[in-house]
Amino acid sequence: MTKKQAALRIMQHNLTDSYDWIVLNQTMETLGKWAKKDTDLKGWIIPYLERLKTDARKSVAEKANKTLTMLLS
C-alpha cells in the first residue's frame, strides 16, 4: 500500500465516522481535490457530500456544497 492509499483510507474513515467539524472540513477539501481526477473516489464521496450539505454546522454544510459544486461542474 502506498502512502497516498493509506492517507485515502484514513480520510475516508474520517469522513464516515468523525463528527469534528475541522476534521470533516479538511477531509472534504483534500478528498474533493483528489476526486476531481479519480472517478472512483468521486463516486464514493458524492453521497457523503450530499448528506453533509444539510449539516446543522454552517461551515460543514458550506464546505460540502462547495466541494459538490466543484466536482459536478
Side-chain angles (χ1 to χ4, degrees):
M1 177 182 306
T2 68
K3 288 182 180 182
K4 185 174 180 179
Q5 289 170 325
L8 178 61
R9 274 194 182 168
I10 291 167
M11 286 188 284
Q12 285 176 311
H13 177 271
N14 288 346
L15 198 61
T16 59
D17 295 332
S18 181
Y19 189 73
D20 183 272
W21 69 273
I22 297 171
V23 171
L24 291 171
N25 283 347
Q26 293 303 310
T27 300
M28 285 187 278
E29 179 81 21
T30 302
L31 289 181
K33 288 177 183 176
W34 290 2
K36 194 74 172 162
K37 298 176 183 176
D38 182 336
T39 56
D40 291 335
L41 180 56
K42 183 178 179 179
W44 180 87
I45 197 174
I46 286 176
Y48 291 99
L49 296 173
E50 290 286 351
R51 177 179 56 85
L52 289 169
K53 75 179 187 178
T54 61
D55 194 274
R57 296 163 293 181
K58 186 177 179 180
S59 67
V60 173
E62 286 178 357
K63 179 61 76 176
N65 274 312
K66 181 179 177 184
T67 305
L68 265 173
T69 300
M70 184 255 312
L71 289 175
L72 298 176
S73 62

